[in-house]
């Protein structure tokens, strides 16, 4: 039976739009088009570009590129390798947060771990520090947060141990939030065997028991973040396949299908895809921004995707929840598979 629902515009605080530097994988126009197709009206882009966004100058260049291209609203996270503290006060009013890599991932932006405390001391004001922090670094994160209790968002929590750490830190009253990706909620290490390099991402897919723990403790998960990490098929099939999977266009259908199966409530879905990311990153909600979604079943196909990556680890899945219209500040910007907004009409946060 056909049914349509209306939701607030979704907010994704964790995407990699590859612009500038790797625009064959994605660019501001294709990435924000994928966002609209997935029901997102605001995305926040990570700083691990080919030239990482660690100076005001690079940030300004990135902003200038975005300004003429984006079709949804976009904010930017700043980057650090622990050697650019003089840039922090210059960029603080132009970014949403500071991203710090404590584990190896795409690009080579991992910091020297002893620098973490200095980074915390140097980051001015209240905007969140986002950590890529897998299991092995949880003691370091805890001691740093105890010494300098600044708002911290743990990205893409994927294992029981990581979520237990977040729960412990929350219960100790530390200012910590966390995100979980759809691939860690809907794929396991079993799928990784089937997907080959197309299932390679950081953190890696985990055993079923870890995934079960995430679902059983959904109340502690603040945000569902796509970690949209587009790479081309050729790269994924090549000799040194990069980590990462696209996710902007499949996250909402996956979550709405889970809701239909009774795995979470509508209220939880809206909280994790809209309300909590808005609160954590200081995005002001807009009453005239909404999405309309068809609850008919549809199959995820690579051909229909807006992302330049052109593939999804969820291709072939039959899901409910296809975005039919996106209204941004009273304007219809996406309808029936077509982006109607002109490039540059999205706002820079
Ligand atoms: C991300 C990418 O491709 O930029 N890859 C990934 O596997 N998640 C980097 C990251 O977020 O760690
Ligand atoms: Zn990421």
């Amino acid at each position: 039976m056909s049914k349509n629902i209306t939701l607030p515009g979704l907010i994704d605080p964790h995407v990699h739009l590859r612009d500038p530097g790797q625009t064959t994988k994605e660019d501001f126009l294709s990435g924000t088009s994928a966002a609209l197709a997935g029901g997102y009206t605001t995305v926040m882009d990570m700083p691990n570009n080919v030239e990482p966004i660690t100076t005001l100058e690079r940030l300004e260049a990135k902003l200038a590129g975005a300004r003429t291209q984006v079709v949804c609203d976009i904010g930017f996270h700043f980057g650090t390798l622990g050697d650019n503290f003089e840039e922090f006060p210059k960029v603080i009013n132009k970014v949403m947060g500071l991203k710090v890599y404590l584990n190896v991932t795409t690009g080579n932006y991992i910091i020297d771990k002893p620098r973490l405390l200095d980074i915390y001391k140097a980051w001015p004001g209240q905007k969140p520090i986002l950590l890529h922090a897998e299991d092995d670094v949880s003691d370091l994160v805890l001691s740093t947060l105890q010494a300098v209790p600044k708002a911290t968002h743990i990205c893409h929590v994927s294992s029981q141990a990581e979520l237990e750490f977040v729960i412990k830190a929350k219960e100790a009253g530390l200012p910590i939030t966390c995100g979980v990706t759809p691939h860690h909620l809907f794929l396991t290490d079993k799928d990784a065997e089937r997907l080959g390099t197309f299932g390679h991402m950081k953190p890696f897919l985990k055993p079923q028991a870890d995934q079960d723990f995430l679902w059983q403790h959904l109340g502690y998960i603040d945000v569902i973040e796509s970690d949209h990490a587009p790479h081309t098929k050729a790269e994924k099939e090549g000799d040194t396949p990069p980590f990462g999977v696209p996710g902007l266009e499949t996250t909402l259908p996956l979550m709405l299908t889970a809701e239909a199966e009774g795995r979470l409530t509508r209220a939880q879905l809206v909280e994790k895809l809209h309300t909590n990311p808005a609160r954590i990153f200081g995005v002001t909600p807009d009453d005239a921004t909404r999405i309309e979604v068809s609850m008919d079943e549809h199959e995820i196909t690579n051909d229909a995707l807006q992302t330049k990556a052109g593939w999804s680890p969820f291709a072939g899945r039959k899901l409910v929840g296809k975005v039919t219209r996106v209204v941004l500040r009273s304007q219809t910007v996406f309808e029936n598979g077509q982006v109607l907004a002109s490039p540059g009409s999205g706002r820079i946060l």
Side-chain angles (χ1 to χ4, degrees):
M1 197 184 64
S2 174
K3 191 168 148 260
N4 284 316
I5 63 167
T6 300
L7 297 171
L10 308 181
I11 300 172
D12 191 340
H14 188 160
V15 302
H16 302 265
L17 299 192
R18 311 298 187 204
D19 198 346
Q22 292 175 307
T23 50
T24 49
K25 296 180 199 265
E26 198 75 290
D27 58 32
F28 283 127
L29 179 57
S30 65
T32 54
S33 297
L36 291 181
Y40 291 93
T41 51
T42 302
V43 294
M44 295 173 218
D45 187 44
M46 287 294 173
N48 66 329
N49 292 81
V50 175
E51 290 199 315
I53 309 305
T54 50
T55 66
L56 173 65
E57 198 184 340
R58 287 182 187 175
L59 179 68
E60 293 281 20
K62 193 176 192 181
L63 288 168
R67 216 164 263 130
T68 58
Q69 293 298 309
V70 294
V71 288
C72 73
D73 294 355
I74 188 166
F76 295 94
H77 299 305
F78 199 55
T80 187
L81 295 168
D83 56 2
N84 61 342
F85 296 163
E86 71 287 353
E87 302 289 323
F88 287 2
K90 298 188 225 165
V91 301
I92 189 72
N93 292 326
K94 299 173 191 278
V95 297
M96 312 303 289
L98 177 72
K99 178 69 181 285
V100 181
Y101 288 91
L102 292 166
N103 305 94
V104 170
T105 183
T106 304
N108 189 24
Y109 310 124
I110 185 165
I111 61 156
D112 287 337
K113 295 193 176 56
R115 297 297 281 155
L116 188 64
L117 186 62
D118 292 333
I119 292 170
Y120 265 70
K121 287 180 183 159
W123 184 239
Q126 300 301 317
K127 291 184 177 177
I129 298 173
L130 299 95
L131 298 181
H132 181 134
E134 299 184 40
D135 292 349
D136 52 318
V137 294
S138 55
D139 287 346
L140 171 69
V141 173
L142 194 62
S143 63
T144 306
L145 257 172
Q146 279 164 341
V148 187
K150 290 192 176 166
T152 297
H153 181 76
I154 308 287
C155 298
H156 44 52
V157 165
S158 65
S159 70
Q160 173 166 349
E162 282 169 23
L163 188 55
E164 279 174 346
F165 161 72
V166 171
I167 293 170
K168 194 169 85 177
K170 284 187 173 191
E171 286 177 349
L174 294 171
I176 197 165
T177 56
C178 76
V180 168
T181 72
H183 38 275
H184 293 111
L185 286 174
F186 294 94
L187 298 171
T188 65
D189 57 355
K190 285 273 177 296
D191 297 290
E193 289 168 22
R194 170 178 60 84
L195 290 164
T197 54
F198 290 92
H200 283 191
M201 78 288 285
K202 287 288 282 170
F204 295 130
L205 292 174
K206 297 293 188 308
Q208 188 66 52
D210 285 294
Q211 188 182 79
D212 291 345
F213 190 86
L214 300 180
W215 280 104
Q216 284 154 9
H217 297 81
L218 216 50
Y220 290 97
I221 297 169
D222 301 281
V223 177
I224 307 294
E225 54 194 34
S226 74
D227 194 5
H228 179 77
H231 298 286
T232 64
K233 282 184 197 161
E235 289 171 314
K236 282 293 208 181
E237 286 163 350
D239 292 337
T240 50
F243 298 120
V245 294
L248 276 169
E249 293 165 84
T250 44
T251 302
L252 178 63
L254 287 163
M255 295 309 293
L256 282 169
T257 303
E259 182 202 303
E261 291 166 355
R263 305 181 80 186
L264 82 165
T265 64
R266 173 69 52 82
Q268 285 177 310
L269 184 148
V270 171
E271 185 185 278
K272 292 170 207 308
L273 289 170
H274 171 77
T275 322
N276 288 345
R279 189 194 70 244
I280 294 166
F281 295 96
V283 179
T284 311
D286 177 81
D287 286 346
T289 295
R290 65 171 195 280
I291 64 173
E292 292 170 15
V293 186
S294 152
M295 294 302 279
D296 287 342
E297 192 175 83
H298 67 289
E299 184 175 328
I300 302 295
T301 58
N302 290 340
D303 300 350
L305 298 171
Q306 299 274 346
T307 176
K308 277 193 189 179
W311 61 275
S312 162
F314 299 105
R317 286 216 189 190
K318 295 196 172 68
L319 303 172
V320 301
K322 192 182 179 66
V323 175
T324 52
R325 181 197 295 256
V326 178
V327 179
L328 178 62
R329 288 180 286 275
S330 305
Q331 300 289 313
T332 298
V333 290
F334 177 90
E335 195 167 23
N336 297 327
Q338 297 298 316
V339 174
L340 304 177
S342 47
S345 59
R347 280 192 191 159
I348 311 278
L349 299 180

